[in-house]
Amino acid sequence: MSSLSLVCCNSSISLLLPDQFRRRSPNVTSLSSQIRMRGALKLVAPPISKAPPLPSKEPPNISSFIETPFLGALAEAFKSLRSLLRDECSHRVDVYSQVLDFCTSNKALAEGQQIHSHVVKCVPDSYFSIFLNTKLVFMYGKCGCVHAAEKLFDKMTERTIFTWNAMIGTYVSNADPIGALELYGEMRNSGFFPDPCTFALVLKASSAMEDLPSGAEVHGLAIKSGYISIVFVANALITMYAKCNDLYGARRLFDSMNDKDIVTWNSIISAYSATGIHSEALNLFRDLQRTGHEINTYTVVATLQACEDSKFQKLGSEIHAFVLKSSHTLDIYVANALVSMYLRCRKMNIASRIFYKMENRDNISWNSILSGSVQNGLYSEALQLFRDMQEEGTKPDLVSITNVISACGRIGNLLLGKETHAYAVRRGLDCVLQVGNTLIDLYNKCFTEKYMVHAFDRILAKDRISWTTIIAGYTQNGFYGDAISFFREVVKNGMEVDEFMIGSILLACSGVKSMNYMKEAHCFILRKGIIDLVLQNSLVDSYGECKNIDYAAKTFRFIQEKDIVSWTSMISSYVQNGYPNEAFSVFFKMMEAGVDADPITLISILSAAAALSVARKGKEIHGYLFRKGFSCEGPIASSLVDMYARCGDLKCSFRVFTSVKSKDVILWTSMINANGMHGRGLAAVSLFHDMVNDNKLIPDEITFLSILYACSHSGMISEGKRFIEIMTNDFCLEPWPEHYTCLVDLLGRANRLDEAYEYIQMMPFEPTAEVWCSLLGACRIHSNKKLGEIAAGKLLALVPENPGNYILVSNLFASSGRWKDVKNLRTGMKGRRLTKNPGCSWIEVENKVHSFIARDKSHPHSEKIYQKLGEVAENLAREVGYIPDTKFVLHNVEEEKKVQMIYGHSERLAIAYGLLETPEGSPIRVTKNLRICGDCHTFCKLVSKVYRREVVIRDASRFHHFDDGVCSCGDYY
């Protein structure tokens, strides 16, 4: 067998191919002929042509020429060739052959073309021309010049099996397996029977196409021809079965082989490594060691791939040691495999050490370390490696660019991301699918929607990932309508939809708070049958975001195998929609089901405890955190600070705050907000300055919102106005409508209503309903009818469906005695089917929450409560001369009725129950869903003085700490 034939080795098969893939040439037979030939496995093989002996005339001495190619000097080789070809050309075939081999091995296409020209002129049309033309076909194939190889092949009137192998090998080596299989069919139709090298080549083509039936057919022909006993044919079959995902077939063939060489072992080990069956790959490696075969580079690489599973890292390290003992320098392929293995095992330091010790690095080396850095979260290091790669002269390829763009996106480095994008454009890679998808993700993470859409539009052939990424980008950047529009286009065009795309659409539906979109998406999921646990959890969460707690609860109940995310989604939905008791009920059921809470669950249930202001339950959850070993850092610490503050225990909030070593902006903001809601404005301001000046943290918009809130509830007008200036001038932050709401509230409480109105008119955007609501409340308290009517008109025009707004306007009219207007408003509410949320207060006694509404008599101890309340009223009247102030009863009824109504306020019922059921001297903590009225505020001050009990009321606005007749708010509420 010639050296050419051996170089071309791979496998073959007669194959039926569609007409559009058929290669048109003078010798192509019809498709019907191929169909007939498909079953003709019993072809009589013509005798394989053998090369006739070279002419008996002794060729000239070519030792000087043979020596030159090994020295690597191509120019010298041609110089020697010219000197050797001064005699008759027909005697120099061996010289042409060696020079062509040299051109092939060095991919010297231009020089090979010169030889081709010389052969055409000098070599007669004989066997020698067939031999040399075959060499030329092979040379063109290896140099990537498929067209020239095809042209020469088609011109050959006589061909040998080696010629066919050379052309089939050209297609295989140039990633055209269809062309290879098609040509194999032509070869069979032409009467040639495959030799072992043909089998190997065609099997390689079948592997590339993952065409198992074709490969199996070749296997059968190899058995019938007897070539199955040739080791390299069997090795090609093992590789084919492995590439076609038939590991059983590969192993069965491997086990049946009597003679195995190192390539056989490498093939089967690689097969198991590639399919993720690492333990079996390593078992085969141990078997190989016992056979005595010499392990080569390919063996080490294949085995190291199996060691990328962290369970086998120790064995990988042992192989590493073995390689170091057997050689002082690492082969580049082994070094790359070692880098990849250590990166997969998250041993970045060892991988980096190997990488930097490599004498030669190729693109695979750089791409491995770049990918590893990105996968291990070392994004800045990845960017530096990219710079080093360019400085070393290695040209970044598709993988390099994709990794760098990904790193830029992860750290939000938009500038470098754009630079890499420009580099990709210059290289023509921005239209490539992988790069385009990564660019979409980059601009999504950097919140640049315009560039994100541009990157999407540049992708020539978009796949499902492209559409999923752009829809996710729109959703995450708040462009919910665009996300829904793109999804409709996906559905309209019949493209495949997966769970990730549906998840993004559910977020978009919840973002626009549209139940119609939600139901539409839910129906789509059910029709397509793609619902899984993740999507069910997303549905619960999205229905909760759309404020449809009934649908959320129904979806939750339909989940058969609930995981921690399912339970957390339901708990969060209840909390967000104002059902903290139901949230606790679900939490307790989760505990009974044996599901352990995770940090997100605990943050949600801490919010429920804060909403109910139940300190004891909050402390129980805090204890659970300690027992389960959760770290009191980050979001958990912030949630604990907020929970204790909302439960009225500012001391515990501060204790948690001081226990955290590494405080972030969120924790500082939580502590500032805690002081603000308890009327400790000066302490909040002091904390703000400590955060900025001593801890060098940069406040965000939420921090400024908290400090303005604190100023608003402490009457710190000048400080509040100053913080707006600091926000815009020192930190370049644009105030939100909520910041202006706080400022209007601050000025309104101080009866500086005209100034508050001026700020509203100077706002850089249209005032929101919250701004007008704040002004309206202040106008009612300070009896400013003119501005009150302006605020009332604006408020009802902006949000006509909010019953709370109608109540505010109604109270404004009632305080001015405009009972007719009050009646008209309430009639309008009934016409719109709007109902007022009744005043409700609750108190926690012996780990149970007791709720009361105004004039409530549903409590089991109602009689005792009202008896105690009458007793308290008498004591206050006798001890301190308390007389109810009925101006706070905004109803057109008799004075006596007003007194009865004010005595029945829900917070008074809760206080009376607290006096009955809590130990003397202990604080009474009450939470109310509405703002406390002026007379109840006075009542609480007097109770704290006469009964010597601290009374803590948390209303809809803030905390009031009543102690010895004084409130912490300084009557500024």
Side-chain angles (χ1 to χ4, degrees):
M1 187 177 295
S2 73
S3 61
L4 173 62
S5 180
L6 287 172
V7 173
C8 293
C9 80
N10 223 317
S11 56
S12 63
I13 180 164
S14 60
L15 207 68
L16 290 177
L17 295 172
D19 285 342
Q20 61 265 36
F21 293 125
R22 302 249 341 132
R23 181 176 167 277
R24 304 299 177 188
S25 74
N27 295 322
V28 176
T29 57
S30 66
L31 183 60
S32 59
S33 299
Q34 276 210 336
I35 294 173
R36 289 194 299 271
M37 290 296 296
R38 186 174 178 81
L41 295 178
K42 296 184 179 180
L43 277 175
V44 178
I48 298 174
S49 306
K50 294 186 178 181
L54 289 173
S56 58
K57 183 178 178 181
E58 191 72 11
N61 184 5
I62 58 171
S63 59
S64 61
F65 168 72
I66 296 173
E67 184 180 349
T68 305
F70 285 98
L71 294 174
L74 190 59
E76 290 297 320
F78 272 82
K79 184 178 178 182
S80 299
L81 176 64
R82 283 193 294 270
S83 65
L84 290 167
L85 294 177
R86 288 171 186 162
D87 298 329
E88 187 180 345
C89 295
S90 60
H91 298 291
R92 307 293 182 247
V93 172
D94 53 348
V95 177
Y96 283 121
S97 175
Q98 292 185 57
V99 176
L100 282 173
D101 286 343
F102 184 77
C103 293
T104 301
S105 60
N106 288 275
K107 291 184 169 57
L109 178 61
E111 290 78 6
Q113 288 172 327
Q114 293 179 39
I115 297 296
H116 187 181
S117 299
H118 210 284
V119 168
V120 171
K121 292 177 182 177
C122 299
V123 179
D125 190 11
S126 63
Y127 167 79
F128 298 116
S129 66
I130 299 172
F131 174 73
L132 290 178
N133 282 338
T134 299
K135 283 273 189 179
L136 283 164
V137 169
F138 184 64
M139 183 275 296
Y140 281 124
K142 287 298 180 181
C143 291
C145 195
V146 178
H147 177 70
E150 286 180 332
K151 190 174 180 181
L152 178 58
F153 179 83
D154 288 341
K155 284 183 177 180
M156 294 176 67
T157 56
E158 294 185 48
R159 299 164 184 157
T160 66
I161 187 62
F162 306 127
T163 312
W164 288 98
N165 286 348
M167 195 61 228
I168 292 171
T170 294
Y171 286 125
V172 171
S173 61
N174 286 278
D176 185 7
I178 293 178
L181 294 175
E182 178 193 49
L183 188 62
Y184 170 72
E186 292 181 25
M187 184 194 84
R188 295 294 308 280
N189 290 340
S190 299
F192 282 87
F193 193 82
D195 71 356
C197 296
T198 320
F199 280 111
L201 285 167
V202 179
L203 284 169
K204 189 171 184 180
S206 299
S207 300
M209 293 181 65
E210 296 184 7
D211 187 350
L212 183 59
S214 300
E217 187 177 338
V218 174
H219 188 177
L221 187 58
I223 292 171
K224 290 184 178 182
S225 64
Y227 289 144
I228 190 66
S229 60
I230 298 176
V231 175
F232 74 79
V233 174
N235 292 344
L237 279 165
I238 290 173
T239 302
M240 181 276 298
Y241 279 118
K243 290 288 179 65
C244 293
N245 300 312
D246 184 2
L247 198 56
Y248 174 75
R251 184 57 183 267
R252 187 172 57 180
L253 178 59
F254 172 82
D255 291 338
S256 69
M257 291 175 64
N258 295 322
D259 297 323
K260 302 182 182 78
D261 60 7
I262 189 62
V263 177
T264 315
W265 286 96
N266 291 347
S267 299
I268 196 67
I269 292 171
S270 295
Y272 278 103
S273 295
T275 52
I277 308 177
H278 300 136
S279 57
E280 187 58 28
L282 296 175
N283 288 336
L284 285 163
F285 175 69
R286 296 186 185 95
D287 293 342
L288 167 62
Q289 289 177 304
R290 287 191 285 268
T291 64
H293 282 98
E294 185 177 353
I295 294 171
N296 61 19
T297 295
Y298 299 103
T299 318
V300 174
V301 170
T303 309
L304 286 173
Q305 287 175 344
C307 296
E308 289 180 2
D309 189 325
S310 57
K311 294 185 294 186
F312 306 116
Q313 182 198 330
K314 184 178 179 182
L315 180 57
S317 300
E318 291 174 2
I319 295 171
H320 186 186
F322 166 78
V323 171
L324 291 176
K325 286 179 183 177
S326 58
S327 176
H328 294 295
T329 58
L330 284 176
D331 176 275
I332 189 171
Y333 303 107
V334 174
N336 288 342
L338 283 168
V339 169
S340 179
M341 180 200 72
Y342 282 119
L343 288 172
R344 291 292 181 89
C345 296
R346 309 189 77 82
K347 298 292 181 181
M348 191 68 194
N349 291 337
I350 302 176
S352 299
R353 194 157 57 243
I354 295 169
F355 174 79
Y356 284 113
K357 284 183 179 180
M358 292 173 67
E359 294 181 1
N360 298 307
R361 305 184 187 102
D362 59 6
N363 275 83
I364 295 174
S365 314
W366 286 102
N367 290 340
S368 296
I369 198 73
L370 272 171
S371 300
S373 299
V374 173
Q375 290 165 7
N376 285 277
L378 303 173
Y379 308 121
S380 299
E381 290 81 352
L383 299 180
Q384 184 57 51
L385 280 165
F386 184 66
R387 297 185 191 98
D388 296 343
M389 176 184 185
Q390 291 175 298
E391 289 174 4
E392 194 174 277
T394 304
K395 196 173 183 179
D397 61 7
L398 181 71
V399 179
S400 318
I401 292 170
T402 304
N403 276 307
V404 172
I405 294 171
S406 179
C408 291
R410 299 294 178 86
I411 62 176
N413 191 331
L414 180 60
L415 181 60
L416 185 56
K418 285 182 176 180
E419 291 177 5
T420 313
H421 187 178
Y423 180 87
V425 171
R426 291 196 300 272
R427 294 278 307 278
L429 295 174
D430 62 317
C431 301
V432 177
L433 185 63
Q434 297 92 323
V435 174
N437 289 344
T438 313
L439 282 169
I440 297 170
D441 187 59
L442 160 73
Y443 291 123
N444 166 30
K445 287 184 168 63
C446 293
F447 308 106
T448 48
E449 175 261 348
K450 179 181 177 182
Y451 292 110
M452 180 180 73
V453 178
H454 175 75
F456 176 79
D457 291 338
R458 287 283 295 165
I459 301 174
L460 298 177
K462 302 173 181 68
D463 65 356
R464 188 179 68 246
I465 296 173
S466 311
W467 288 94
T468 301
T469 309
I470 191 71
I471 290 171
Y474 274 128
T475 300
Q476 292 165 18
N477 284 276
F479 296 94
Y480 305 120
D482 292 308
I484 293 170
S485 297
F486 267 67
F487 180 71
R488 289 191 186 281
E489 189 173 345
V490 168
V491 176
K492 180 181 176 181
N493 293 331
M495 287 181 276
E496 187 179 353
V497 175
D498 62 8
E499 295 83 353
F500 299 104
M501 194 182 295
I502 291 292
S504 294
I505 284 302
L506 290 176
L507 286 175
C509 294
S510 61
V512 296
K513 303 289 189 292
S514 170
M515 273 301 295
N516 289 334
Y517 283 153
M518 271 301 305
K519 290 178 180 179
E520 196 176 334
H522 196 170
C523 289
F524 180 86
I525 291 169
L526 295 175
R527 283 199 311 272
K528 294 294 182 180
I530 56 176
I531 194 161
D532 59 8
L533 182 59
V534 175
L535 283 182
Q536 286 178 309
N537 294 340
S538 297
L539 282 167
V540 172
D541 191 62
S542 297
Y543 278 126
E545 291 285 342
C546 291
K547 301 189 181 303
N548 194 318
I549 201 66
D550 291 336
Y551 273 71
K554 287 178 182 177
T555 306
F556 175 74
R557 286 195 294 271
F558 278 124
I559 302 175
Q560 295 181 348
E561 299 293 333
K562 299 178 179 68
D563 62 1
I564 184 60
V565 179
S566 313
W567 292 98
T568 303
S569 297
M570 193 66 246
I571 291 168
S572 299
S573 294
Y574 274 129
V575 173
Q576 291 166 9
N577 286 278
Y579 296 95
N581 285 312
E582 287 78 1
F584 268 107
S585 176
V586 173
F587 179 74
F588 292 140
K589 287 179 182 177
M590 184 186 83
M591 293 288 102
E592 291 172 3
V595 179
D596 287 331
D598 65 5
I600 300 174
T601 316
L602 294 170
I603 289 169
S604 296
I605 203 64
L606 282 171
S607 297
L612 287 171
S613 196
V614 284
R616 183 172 293 183
K617 281 186 169 59
K619 288 180 178 179
E620 289 175 2
I621 298 165
H622 194 175
Y624 179 90
L625 282 165
F626 273 107
R627 289 195 305 275
K628 293 295 183 179
F630 288 100
S631 175
C632 189
E633 300 282 341
I636 289 180
S638 301
S639 297
L640 283 168
V641 166
D642 185 66
M643 182 273 295
Y644 280 121
R646 291 181 182 277
C647 291
D649 195 341
L650 196 57
K651 290 180 180 177
C652 279
S653 280
F654 192 71
R655 197 177 300 130
V656 172
F657 175 77
T658 54
S659 69
V660 179
K661 295 179 181 179
S662 179
K663 301 177 180 69
D664 58 11
V665 173
I666 298 173
L667 184 60
W668 282 96
T669 301
S670 298
M671 198 65 234
I672 290 168
N673 187 62
N675 280 278
M677 74 173 69
H678 285 271
R680 293 168 52 88
L682 290 174
V685 171
S686 177
L687 279 167
F688 179 88
H689 291 309
D690 287 345
M691 180 187 80
V692 175
N693 299 328
D694 297 342
N695 292 274
K696 309 300 180 185
L697 292 174
I698 299 175
D700 59 12
E701 290 88 348
I702 305 297
T703 311
F704 278 104
L705 193 59
S706 297
I707 195 66
L708 285 170
Y709 174 83
C711 292
S712 173
H713 286 83
S714 299
M716 301 168 67
I717 299 172
S718 59
E719 290 86 350
K721 294 167 72 174
R722 173 65 182 148
F723 276 116
I724 286 286
E725 294 175 2
I726 291 172
M727 179 181 182
T728 54
N729 297 334
D730 296 357
F731 295 98
C732 301
L733 296 173
E734 289 296 324
W736 296 345
E738 291 83 356
H739 295 101
Y740 285 102
T741 301
C742 282
L743 188 59
V744 169
D745 185 64
L746 171 63
L747 295 169
R749 288 172 186 272
N751 198 17
R752 295 168 65 165
L753 296 171
D754 291 333
E755 188 178 354
Y757 186 57
E758 288 177 7
Y759 265 102
I760 293 174
Q761 291 178 311
M762 291 189 299
M763 287 170 62
F765 35 72
E766 283 296 317
T768 61
E770 289 75 19
V771 173
W772 292 115
C773 185
S774 182
L775 181 65
L776 178 61
C779 289
R780 185 186 68 79
I781 293 171
H782 299 292
S783 302
N784 190 320
K785 299 176 183 177
K786 181 181 177 182
L787 282 180
E789 290 190 5
I790 293 173
K794 297 285 188 181
L795 183 60
L796 293 181
L798 283 171
V799 191
E801 302 301 324
N802 188 336
N805 294 338
Y806 284 90
I807 299 303
L808 274 175
V809 177
S810 174
N811 290 344
L812 174 71
F813 292 156
S815 63
S816 305
R818 297 167 58 179
W819 299 112
K820 186 176 180 180
D821 292 331
V822 171
K823 183 179 179 181
N824 290 337
L825 270 176
R826 294 188 181 274
T827 302
M829 285 182 65
K830 288 181 180 178
R832 293 175 179 268
R833 296 182 179 179
L834 301 176
T835 56
K836 172 193 173 185
N837 290 327
C840 179
S841 298
W842 56 92
I843 182 173
E844 184 183 17
V845 177
E846 294 181 355
N847 208 25
K848 185 178 180 181
V849 178
H850 300 263
S851 301
F852 303 89
I853 59 174
R855 298 177 295 281
D856 183 18
K857 292 187 179 180
S858 61
H859 195 276
H861 299 148
S862 181
E863 187 176 340
K864 290 183 179 180
I865 291 169
Y866 276 96
Q867 185 179 348
K868 183 65 176 180
L869 193 57
E871 178 190 312
V872 170
E874 290 177 6
N875 286 342
L876 296 185
R878 184 175 59 252
E879 296 287 338
V880 291
Y882 166 66
I883 298 174
D885 187 352
T886 56
K887 73 176 182 180
F888 295 102
V889 180
L890 302 174
H891 293 274
N892 188 18
V893 294
E894 298 294 330
E895 189 69 18
E896 185 179 347
K897 182 68 173 176
K898 288 184 178 180
V899 172
Q900 292 177 0
M901 292 175 73
I902 209 165
Y903 273 148
H905 280 190
S906 60
E907 58 265 52
R908 298 190 187 212
L909 298 175
I911 290 170
Y913 186 72
L915 290 170
L916 281 170
E917 298 296 332
T918 58
E920 286 192 22
S922 63
I924 297 173
R925 303 180 187 276
V926 176
T927 304
K928 186 174 182 179
N929 66 334
L930 303 177
R931 186 176 290 190
I932 189 172
C933 76
D935 189 68
C936 288
H937 191 268
T938 302
F939 177 84
C940 292
K941 288 198 294 185
L942 297 178
V943 167
S944 70
K945 182 176 182 179
V946 172
Y947 286 88
R948 300 182 183 278
R949 301 280 289 270
E950 180 186 5
V951 178
V952 180
I953 302 288
R954 174 188 151 192
D955 67 6
S957 177
R958 58 171 298 155
F959 270 91
H960 300 266
H961 293 262
F962 301 95
D963 193 11
D964 196 26
V966 179
C967 181
S968 61
C969 72
D971 296 339
Y972 189 82
Y973 63 94

